[in-house]
């Protein structure tokens, strides 16, 4: 995830947001793209809107940029309501997925285009262009044309052009989608480092969970026009607020059941798919009899031929599939009920003296603190 900072303004009730959405909705005819969004984003954040295609995240970004007008609600940037303010007068700049570089201009001319339109003196433009190109490590490519650059280099030029105008907010619409996997992972960390150095608030739209987790100070998970949960990457992954968020972020094993014990330090649930009740270290109080979903992440389970120690939750099954990925292996274990469960194990050695393989009977075990009760 993004580098931690000692100051987390969203935890300070006195902090004033840089960006505020108040009851913002957007309709296209009968279709509701965004519905009653209330959201605060603070100065210096790298905030990501995460969700599947059609969830409303890009529409929300375009309303912030001024390319779409809210059907209801208000948007504020630095305390100023944006209603009626055109895109070119807002203190924002947008980096498009296609990068939108002018093919007939050099790198330096592309980066300086907005500054020239603003009427800055030539010497001032040259200084700012040099500074931002050096920041994105593209200074030696200043005289090249876009077609002479790689995809990653064009992405850096597009970023430099946005940063040159020193906006209060930089909007990024799937900025790394055109890059290959290895370059994308490298560029994620570079973007975070650049954002930390310049201190500009970044708001990014992405459908890539790993990208959002790596780069963001906080994430807003969207579904069907609604923001389902807002939190840090750790909060979203370890403490999802709903079954949808738990299932959307990473892999999760879900067990349906009902609460039989609600004590001060733990909850006990009965789950028809399992051979015994589950114990979950306490979170929120859940009334006895409530229907719940118990979530356990695959990496928080262990798989073995031996029954887990007393005090651990367990389940018994047979290995039906194995996905070997080099550093880790994912075991798909079929329980007696027919339900399949995923377990992620790190491959710590070149070979295993007693490797687990297909059709082996095994036990799964996990600590009560590594399970979470979801009530919605």
């Amino acid at each position: 995830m993004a580098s931690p900072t000692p100051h987390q303004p969203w935890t300070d009730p006195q902090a004033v947001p840089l960006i505020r959405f108040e009851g913002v909705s957007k309709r296209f005819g009968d279709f509701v793209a965004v519905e009653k969004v209330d959201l605060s984003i603070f100065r210096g954040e790298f905030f990501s809107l995460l969700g599947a295609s059609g969830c409303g995240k890009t529409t929300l970004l375009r309303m912030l940029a001024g390319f779409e007008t809210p059907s209801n609600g208000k948007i504020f940037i630095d305390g100023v309501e944006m209603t009626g303010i055109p895109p070119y007068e807002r203190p924002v700049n947008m980096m498009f997925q296609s990068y939108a570089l002018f093919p007939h201009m050099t790198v330096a001319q592309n980066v300086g285009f907005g500054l020239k339109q603003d009427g800055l003196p030539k010497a001032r433009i040259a200084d700012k262009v040099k500074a931002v190109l050096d920041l994105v490590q593209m200074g030696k490519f200043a005289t090249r044309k876009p077609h002479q650059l790689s995809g990653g280099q064009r992405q850096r030029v597009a970023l430099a052009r946005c940063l040159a105008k020193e906006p209060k907010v930089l909007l990024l619409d799937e900025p790394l989608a055109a890059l290959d996997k290895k370059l994308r992972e490298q560029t994620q960390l570079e973007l975070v480092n650049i954002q930390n150095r310049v201190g500009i608030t970044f708001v990014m739209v992405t459908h890539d969970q790993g990208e959002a987790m790596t780069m963001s100070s906080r994430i807003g998970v969207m579904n069907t026009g609604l923001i389902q949960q807002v939190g840090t990457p750790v909060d979203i992954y370890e403490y999802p607020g709903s079954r949808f968020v738990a299932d959307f972020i990473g892999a999760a094993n879900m067990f349906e059941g009902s609460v039989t014990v609600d004590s001060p330090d733990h909850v006990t649930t009965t789950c028809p798919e399992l051979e015994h009740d589950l114990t979950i270290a306490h979170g929120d109080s859940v009334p006895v009899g409530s229907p719940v979903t118990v979530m356990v992440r695959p990496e928080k389970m262990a798989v073995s031929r031996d029954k887990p120690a007393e005090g651990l939750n367990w389940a018994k099954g047979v290995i039906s599939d194995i996905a070997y990925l080099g550093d880790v292996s994912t075991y798909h274990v079929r329980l007696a009920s027919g339900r399949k469960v995923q377990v992620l194990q790190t491959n710590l050695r070149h070979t295993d003296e007693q490797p687990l393989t297909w059709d082996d009977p095994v036990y799964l075990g996990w600590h009560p603190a590594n399970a979470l009760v979801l009530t919605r």
Side-chain angles (χ1 to χ4, degrees):
M1 64 179 176
S3 301
T5 56
H7 180 52
Q8 296 182 332
W10 53 89
T11 65
D12 180 1
Q14 304 302 317
V16 178
L18 177 65
I19 300 167
R20 288 201 334 269
F21 293 86
E22 294 185 355
V24 172
S25 298
K26 180 63 179 179
R27 293 183 296 275
F28 297 98
D30 294 333
F31 175 69
V32 180
V34 173
E35 186 171 6
K36 296 179 182 178
V37 166
D38 293 304
L39 176 65
S40 294
I41 300 173
F42 294 86
R43 197 178 305 273
E45 273 206 81
F46 198 128
F47 191 95
S48 291
L49 293 166
L50 173 66
S53 297
C55 71
K57 59 188 185 298
T58 297
T59 300
L60 201 61
L61 194 77
R62 288 176 62 82
M63 286 192 285
L64 183 56
F67 299 136
E68 300 286 354
T69 302
S71 303
N72 298 99
K74 297 178 181 180
I75 299 173
F76 296 84
I77 300 178
D78 208 8
V80 178
E81 187 184 347
M82 292 291 107
T83 302
I85 297 180
Y88 56 85
E89 291 185 6
R90 299 190 180 199
V92 306
N93 216 331
M94 189 163 184
M95 181 174 160
F96 296 94
Q97 185 175 340
S98 64
Y99 308 146
L101 299 176
F102 298 111
H104 62 287
M105 292 184 182
T106 66
V107 165
Q109 289 169 338
N110 265 284
V111 173
F113 179 78
L115 303 175
K116 184 178 179 181
Q117 294 296 106
D118 289 344
L120 268 65
K122 287 185 177 180
R124 178 67 177 145
I125 293 174
D127 288 343
K128 295 192 73 160
V129 168
K130 182 180 185 307
V132 293
L133 284 178
D134 287 345
L135 179 67
V136 299
Q137 302 177 19
M138 287 294 292
K140 63 182 179 180
F141 300 97
T143 59
R144 291 195 185 182
K145 298 284 183 67
H147 74 273
Q148 297 173 307
L149 304 175
S150 68
Q153 290 168 337
R154 288 195 294 273
Q155 189 262 356
R156 290 166 184 258
V157 175
L159 176 62
R161 183 175 61 185
C162 291
L163 294 175
K165 294 194 68 172
E166 300 179 12
K168 290 181 180 178
V169 182
L170 179 59
L171 309 178
L172 303 101
D173 184 10
E174 302 276 6
L176 310 181
L179 306 182
D180 63 66
K181 182 177 184 295
K182 190 169 184 179
L183 182 57
R184 187 165 64 246
E185 291 173 350
Q186 174 187 335
T187 307
Q188 288 171 3
L189 298 177
E190 290 177 352
L191 263 178
V192 172
N193 289 331
I194 289 171
Q195 190 266 344
N196 284 335
R197 290 204 296 272
V198 300
I200 293 173
T201 303
F202 280 25
V203 181
M204 178 177 73
V205 156
T206 181
H207 66 276
D208 187 315
Q209 297 97 321
E211 190 167 280
M213 296 283 285
T214 298
M215 301 172 70
S216 311
S217 57
R218 287 190 304 155
I219 299 168
V221 181
M222 293 194 69
N223 183 41
T224 61
L226 300 169
I227 291 188
Q228 300 287 324
Q229 186 174 351
V230 175
T232 66
V234 171
D235 291 338
I236 295 288
Y237 186 80
E238 299 289 354
Y239 305 103
S242 67
R243 178 167 181 152
F244 171 82
V245 175
D247 197 41
F248 188 77
I249 303 292
N253 296 305
M254 309 279 196
F255 302 106
E256 304 296 334
S258 60
V259 175
T260 56
V261 176
D262 179 27
S263 72
D265 63 347
H266 74 276
V267 170
T268 302
T269 67
T270 181
C271 299
E273 295 175 315
L274 301 176
E275 298 174 47
H276 73 111
D277 291 349
L278 298 181
T279 302
I280 302 95
H282 213 301
D284 295 331
S285 182
V286 184
V288 171
S290 299
V292 295
T293 301
V294 178
M295 182 206 77
V296 189
R297 298 288 187 189
E299 73 277 7
K300 299 189 189 307
M301 286 183 162
V303 57
S304 171
R305 290 190 177 88
D306 302 319
K307 188 174 182 178
E310 189 72 25
L312 296 181
N313 292 308
W314 61 271
K316 189 176 181 181
V318 175
I319 295 175
S320 60
D321 289 294
I322 303 173
Y324 175 77
L325 301 176
D327 55 340
V328 297
S329 292
T330 300
Y331 293 90
H332 296 257
V333 178
R334 187 177 61 254
L335 307 182
S337 62
R339 167 70 186 279
K340 282 191 177 181
V341 176
Q342 291 186 52
V343 186
L344 193 69
Q345 296 281 76
T346 302
N347 296 320
L348 300 176
R349 293 175 287 181
H350 287 297
T351 58
D352 199 330
E353 294 176 1
Q354 292 183 314
L356 297 172
T357 189
W358 285 264
D359 297 326
D360 277 356
V362 291
Y363 285 93
L364 310 179
W366 63 96
H367 195 277
N370 289 334
L372 187 69
V373 172
L374 303 173
T375 57
R376 63 184 181 94

